[in-house]
């Protein structure tokens, strides 16, 4: 996500709150001035804390980019250092603003713990934020449009993804659906999380309703989830067609499925990706792992379908990847 872009929106929105309504021209001028030098406008403790998180995320992304050619041991040491610096930045942000939700969320997710422990902690944080929100004035119908509500939305999205990983499928589905209810643009990608949860539950009717709600726009998540759902329902011809859809939509999808790639913990959101890219397929396969585990023959079946293995091998060879 664009942390600095969101910081600019936060600072400008707070300035508008404090200085009353402005003409559209004055508002555009303000946004341009804030974007050009956001640091000079940051004076509220909450925004100072958010700025520290934005800086930490930029430093994390820069450091991560240098890890590609490290050995496994060097990578793990580098990762530990990166997380230590990130946690220190979050602690500093929380010392400035104890209510810094993003800092608390990232700090929680960066702590070494299993998925069940993270679910428990995320539920507590989500519950506290929900209670606080009930005491506030209602915001816009599209929750994402209120920049100050986004941290709480990210907490619930993290809970949805983590709950699915912990095999608490009903919680994952409930959280994802609740976010889709208030975020019609699905900026946090909860349609994909809900699709995987419905595949795990073998709920074809629910999946079809979700697909219609999402405008039947295919993604790596929905195509893979549909394939898994139909496989689990023993509708193999339809599953083969869905698998073909997954392969045709995403570059290297067959390789991503047959050779799952390590994905770091989301801190806190799903990384950005280009639709139809190999990166999208890798993320979808990563998040689908709890569903795949529940269908242990799925990957072997997929590898036996016409063209799948050939596609995977060809992609690996053309991109210098191991096979």
């Amino acid at each position: 996500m664009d942390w600095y872009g969101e910081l600019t929106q936060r600072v400008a929105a707070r300035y508008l709150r404090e200085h009353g309504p402005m003409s559209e021209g004055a508002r555009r001028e303000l946004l341009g001035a804030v974007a050009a030098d956001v640091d000079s406008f940051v004076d509220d403790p909450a925004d100072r804390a958010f700025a520290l998180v934005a800086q930490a995320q930029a430093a994390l992304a820069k450091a991560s980019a240098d890890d590609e050619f490290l050995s496994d041991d060097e990578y793990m040491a580098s990762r530990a250092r990166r997380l230590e610096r990130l946690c220190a930045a979050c602690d500093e942000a929380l010392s400035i603003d104890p209510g810094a939700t993003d800092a608390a969320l990232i700090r929680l997710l960066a702590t070494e713990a299993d998925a069940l422990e993270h679910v428990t902690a995320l539920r507590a944080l989500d519950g506290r934020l929900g209670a606080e929100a009930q005491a506030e004035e209602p915001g816009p119908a599209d929750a994402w449009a209120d920049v100050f509500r986004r941290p709480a939305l990210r907490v619930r999205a993290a809970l949805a993804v983590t709950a699915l990983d912990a095999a608490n499928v009903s919680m994952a589905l409930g959280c994802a659906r609740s976010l889709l209810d208030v975020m019609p643009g699905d900026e946090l990608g909860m349609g994909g999380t809900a699709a995987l949860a419905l595949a795990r539950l073998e709920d074809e009717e629910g999946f079809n309703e979700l697909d219609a709600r999402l405008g039947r726009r295919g993604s790596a998540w929905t195509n893979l989830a549909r394939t898994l759902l139909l496989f689990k329902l023993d509708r193999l011809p339809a599953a083969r067609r869905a698998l073909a859809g997954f392969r045709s939509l995403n570059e290297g999808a067959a390789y991503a499925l047959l050779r799952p790639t390590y994905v770091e913990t989301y801190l806190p959101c799903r990384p950005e990706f280009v639709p139809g890219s190999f990166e999208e397929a890798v993320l979808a396969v990563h998040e689908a792992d709890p569903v795949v585990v529940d269908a242990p023959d799925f990957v072997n079946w997929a590898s036996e379908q016409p063209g799948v293995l050939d596609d995977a091998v060809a992609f690996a060879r053309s991109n210098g990847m191991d096979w």
Side-chain angles (χ1 to χ4, degrees), residues 4-18:
Y4 278 106
E6 188 164 317
L7 174 62
T8 298
Q9 293 178 54
R10 285 174 62 98
V11 172
R14 200 181 301 280
Y15 187 93
L16 287 169
R17 279 184 181 182
E18 294 172 354

Side-chain angles (χ1 to χ4, degrees), residues 185-266:
D186 192 19
E187 285 82 359
L188 294 174
M190 289 294 98
T193 304
L196 291 173
L198 289 163
R200 173 67 175 78
L201 294 170
E202 301 180 22
D203 183 352
E204 186 173 14
E205 181 179 354
F207 184 92
N208 290 334
E209 290 174 356
L210 173 70
D211 195 32
R213 180 177 187 174
L214 298 174
R216 305 197 187 282
R217 298 185 301 273
S219 72
W221 283 266
T222 55
N223 285 344
L224 181 55
R226 180 183 287 107
T227 307
L228 281 158
L229 170 66
L230 294 168
F231 176 82
K232 286 163 65 67
L233 293 175
D234 202 27
R235 305 246 300 279
L236 299 185
R240 275 192 290 273
R241 292 190 291 274
L243 178 61
F246 174 62
R247 290 167 52 206
S248 66
L249 181 69
N250 285 89
E251 178 187 10
Y255 181 86
L257 181 60
L258 300 188
R259 291 290 187 273
T261 302
Y262 172 74
V263 175
E264 287 202 3
T265 302
Y266 299 165

